[in-house]
Amino acid sequence: MNELYELELLKSAVEEKNKSYTPSLSMLTARYHTNGYHTALKNVEWGHPCRESIEYALALLDTGEAEYEERAFSVIRQVISLQDQHPAHDTYGLWSYYYEEPLERMAPPDWNWADFIGKVLVMIAKRHRERLPEPLLAELERTVCHACESIIRRNMGPHYTNIAIMGSLVTIGAGEVFGHQRYLDYGLERFEAFCQYTQQLNTFQEYNSPTYTIIAIIELSKISQITRHAKALDICGKMLDLAWSMVGAHFHAATRQWAGPHSRSYSTLLTKGTLAFLSLGAGLPWREAEDGPMPYNLEWYKSGVNCPEKYRGLFAERTTRDIQEIYYRSPDGYEKVATTYMTPSFTIASASKEVMWNQRRNLLAYAADNEGKTVYTALRMLHDGYDFSAPVFSSQQDQGHLLCGLQLSVNGGDTHIGLDRINGAVEASDLRLRLEIGGAAENVEALPAEGGAVLRMGQVRLELYQLAAVFEGGDGLLAPAPQWTVGREEGKLNLDLVLYHGPRKRLDIAGLSRAGLLFAISMEEVSSDGQDGLSPAQRETMHVSADGQTLEARWQPGDKVLALSLALKPDTVEILRGQA
């Protein structure tokens, strides 16, 4: 990237951030945001975030403008003052999300904040230590050391990709910038363990995640900028090559989307920020007439992000790709497989077995409508309108054909996979499985059909077949034979399988004697479509059976036979997803 152009983008972004600066607190003001856990603030519209404020301080110094120095120093002092610096505390080395919410009020505190804020402090010291007043530099060093101690205490394993990398950045950076050999040794050992772990499957634990792959690329690039250690540089090179190859292979040029499945994602359609990152880092054309002005993230400046030339062509290539990758393997050999099928006009992808957390995209498709606008199709399980994590999704896929199943766990998460696990039951007024069609959904035709539905998205046709739904026991708490319905809500088209809707009551999942469902999806491009209903030829190859314990289905849409066998009795999430 042209350095002068990047500096112009940075200065423009800083000028915009200046409008949100609160001089009395020496922090940025930002609209309050919650992911549903950690922060417990209520009835708050605005707050003063620690992370965004320290990133702003670094950006102020990065502009090179002398007029910004004192403001940057004030922000750094304020953020330093908000760290828990008491070694006896459980939250030692951490920050809260917001000035308005001390650590002890969070539910619970986020231990990642030692990494997220510590890394910015390291970059400030690396790039601007000569400009910092000596007392402030000494304070900053002590603060980074507190963050390092928190990271070492927690000692997060190599499976948590972005934290494994960020923790390495903070400790390696502290070791090299401030001369602390203990932190450098720890950081190098941690970084090497992460590399070895990742190379076992040749993919990140947060498989194909638009959010965390980009974070990994940024943080790996930063490590390559701050370190002189040959081992660390070698690991950066290997991991960056892996990351960029995965991004390029999963980019769908026709829809300008990141094909699934996504292990962790916060937005089903790529944000403008992600598209801007790919434009600056990989040469993806920026369409200002359609996308508007390019956003710029302060963290990108001088991070060294650069896609290898050998992968850049993947972002423009319109071809057919069929990708199967093992993204998880248990010690006893059980494997999870991610499948991505891509044509010049659409892409559809699935995970072989996963929980239904709102950060998962277990079944995900993209297509373009007749006007060239992007439409997405994603599977969700909703408990009173919010994604219900406890059910376990299973699938087998052959190109554009998927055989899918769902089971109910008795101890999976409610809104989060680990923070609010259920104990055999949930209080609910609504429970439904939803195939959500968003993006340019206004141009999608939906035709209910006996036993499913048909969707038309431009020249792409999606067929949904309900194969079996079994819910018995528990005093009939769930609909014994639910049917798919079609509706529109808030600009989205929804195909819903309503399991319960009525007065709020306790749904005893553990008390169900049998609970499971099977359905199939077929997605293909058609030149003309005179058929309104489901394809009889597809239906003829589908075979379903159920007994007292098992629900099974077989389907042969092409040369490959797809088969699923689901235990009907609700069980622990560990057993249902094969990780007991």
Side-chain angles (χ1 to χ4, degrees):
M1 186 192 305
N2 182 282
E3 290 185 12
L4 290 178
Y5 176 57
E6 188 178 14
L7 183 58
E8 288 177 11
L9 291 173
L10 176 73
K11 288 182 176 180
S12 177
V14 166
E15 288 174 5
E16 190 62 30
K17 293 289 185 184
N18 288 341
K19 300 174 185 177
S20 303
Y21 182 66
T22 303
S24 61
L25 289 179
S26 299
M27 297 182 77
L28 287 185
T29 304
R31 188 173 293 278
Y32 173 70
H33 170 74
T34 176
N35 51 17
Y37 33 88
H38 291 309
T39 176
L41 284 175
K42 303 293 183 184
N43 303 315
V44 173
E45 188 175 358
W46 298 90
H48 293 85
C50 294
R51 177 185 172 187
E52 287 85 344
S53 294
I54 198 63
E55 289 173 350
Y56 173 63
L58 173 58
L60 289 171
L61 295 173
D62 281 341
T63 65
E65 303 288 347
E67 63 184 281
Y68 284 148
E69 280 192 351
E70 287 305 320
R71 176 178 291 191
F73 299 159
S74 295
V75 175
I76 295 169
R77 291 188 185 98
Q78 174 70 314
V79 172
I80 286 175
S81 74
L82 297 175
Q83 184 191 40
D84 182 348
Q85 299 188 351
H86 300 281
H89 291 178
D90 290 341
T91 53
Y92 172 53
L94 303 187
W95 286 263
S96 63
Y97 284 177
Y98 293 96
Y99 172 86
E100 289 77 8
E101 182 179 34
L103 278 165
E104 60 270 17
R105 295 183 188 172
M106 294 184 71
D110 190 343
W111 269 257
N112 294 344
W113 248 230
D115 307 79
F116 272 93
I117 295 180
K119 65 173 184 173
V120 184
L121 295 173
V122 166
M123 298 308 295
I124 289 172
K126 174 67 177 179
R127 293 181 190 167
H128 304 291
R129 65 181 302 159
E130 300 302 325
R131 299 170 64 186
L132 298 178
E134 282 298 325
L136 180 57
L137 180 61
E139 276 190 80
L140 190 151
E141 180 179 354
R142 285 193 294 272
T143 302
V144 169
C145 289
H146 294 313
C148 287
E149 293 298 334
S150 173
I151 290 167
I152 294 172
R153 278 188 185 184
R154 185 187 187 196
N155 199 28
M156 177 55 66
H159 61 282
Y160 197 164
T161 302
N162 66 312
I163 296 303
I165 299 171
M166 270 191 262
S168 300
L169 191 160
V170 177
T171 49
I172 290 173
E176 294 202 52
V177 174
F178 296 116
H180 294 288
Q181 189 64 41
R182 173 169 168 261
Y183 297 148
L184 177 60
D185 291 342
Y186 173 85
L188 290 172
E189 182 178 349
R190 179 190 183 109
F191 203 30
E192 187 167 27
F194 158 72
C195 180
Q196 292 175 354
Y197 178 88
T198 304
Q199 286 180 322
Q200 289 176 8
L201 289 178
N202 201 38
T203 188
F204 298 134
Q205 177 77 11
E206 291 84 4
Y207 173 76
N208 194 39
S209 166
T211 303
Y212 291 101
T213 305
I214 285 179
I215 291 175
I217 289 173
I218 293 171
E219 305 310 329
L220 287 165
S221 300
K222 286 179 182 176
I223 294 177
S224 70
Q225 297 293 304
I226 67 170
T227 187
R228 298 177 183 174
H229 202 285
K231 180 187 293 185
L233 289 170
D234 180 61
I235 293 171
C236 285
K238 292 175 181 176
M239 295 295 99
L240 283 168
D241 189 85
L242 171 63
W244 279 115
S245 67
M246 181 166 61
V247 180
H250 287 85
F251 192 80
H252 189 242
T255 57
R256 298 176 85 224
Q257 294 299 318
W258 191 315
H262 303 154
S263 64
R264 296 189 70 185
S265 180
Y266 295 94
S267 174
T268 306
L269 291 172
L270 288 187
T271 65
K272 287 186 178 180
T274 301
L275 290 170
F277 175 86
L278 295 177
S279 177
L280 295 171
L284 182 71
W286 182 259
R287 307 181 305 190
E288 189 155 346
E290 299 174 44
D291 301 328
M294 179 184 288
Y296 188 77
N297 189 312
L298 301 180
E299 275 214 292
W300 299 345
Y301 186 69
K302 285 191 174 180
S303 63
V305 169
N306 184 37
C307 176
E309 193 64 37
K310 60 183 175 181
Y311 299 128
R312 288 180 173 245
L314 294 172
F315 292 90
E317 187 177 81
R318 300 196 179 201
T319 186
T320 298
R321 299 176 192 158
D322 197 350
I323 304 169
Q324 288 88 34
E325 293 183 303
I326 298 169
Y327 69 96
Y328 171 84
R329 181 181 291 118
S330 68
D332 63 1
Y334 171 76
E335 295 177 345
K336 295 181 184 180
V337 178
T339 301
T340 307
Y341 181 65
M342 189 180 301
T343 76
S345 58
F346 74 87
T347 177
I348 186 166
S350 64
S352 64
K353 193 170 288 289
E354 270 300 349
V355 295
M356 295 296 291
W357 188 25
N358 68 345
Q359 292 186 31
R360 304 279 191 241
R361 300 294 184 272
N362 297 329
L363 193 165
L364 179 62
Y366 297 105
D369 66 9
N370 284 324
E371 298 176 7
K373 297 179 180 178
T374 297
V375 179
Y376 75 78
T377 303
L379 187 71
R380 303 175 68 189
M381 185 73 177
L382 300 176
H383 166 203
D384 291 333
Y386 195 88
D387 294 85
F388 187 35
S389 300
V392 175
F393 170 81
S394 301
S395 76
Q396 290 284 303
Q397 179 175 347
D398 179 29
Q399 298 186 350
H401 308 292
L402 288 81
L403 183 60
C404 308
L406 201 77
Q407 298 161 282
L408 298 182
S409 76
V410 297
N411 69 333
D414 188 351
T415 63
H416 186 275
I417 52 175
L419 296 179
D420 57 355
R421 286 196 169 204
I422 66 173
N423 185 22
V426 292
E427 296 285 333
S429 58
D430 189 274
L431 188 66
R432 66 184 61 206
L433 184 68
R434 170 170 290 176
L435 194 65
E436 179 181 277
I437 296 88
E442 68 278 4
N443 297 327
V444 177
E445 295 181 77
L447 305 172
E450 185 178 353
V454 176
L455 301 178
R456 293 172 179 164
M457 298 162 276
Q459 296 302 308
V460 176
R461 175 185 173 97
L462 185 148
E463 299 182 1
L464 168 68
Y465 302 82
Q466 180 171 332
L467 302 182
V470 179
F471 296 99
E472 297 176 356
D475 297 323
L477 293 177
L478 300 182
Q483 300 294 314
W484 292 91
T485 61
V486 179
R488 290 187 183 270
E489 180 182 352
E490 298 180 350
K492 296 173 182 176
L493 174 66
N494 300 318
L495 303 184
D496 286 352
L497 191 70
V498 181
L499 304 184
Y500 175 76
H501 182 77
R504 187 171 183 82
K505 64 180 180 180
R506 184 175 183 269
L507 302 182
D508 183 11
I509 295 174
L512 293 168
S513 58
R514 300 202 305 167
L517 62 93
L518 288 166
F519 60 98
I521 286 178
S522 180
M523 192 173 190
E524 59 186 345
E525 185 174 351
V526 291
S527 56
S528 61
D529 196 348
Q531 179 180 310
D532 290 333
L534 297 171
S535 168
Q538 294 285 16
R539 175 69 80 178
E540 289 172 3
T541 66
M542 298 174 180
H543 304 282
V544 182
S545 63
D547 57 25
Q549 297 180 327
T550 308
L551 184 61
E552 296 183 336
R554 289 171 60 85
W555 179 27
Q556 189 169 356
D559 295 334
K560 182 179 178 180
V561 176
L562 303 178
L564 281 179
S565 179
L566 306 179
L568 281 169
K569 178 63 180 173
D571 210 327
T572 66
V573 68
E574 290 81 10
I575 289 177
L576 293 183
R577 69 184 182 188
Q579 293 176 245

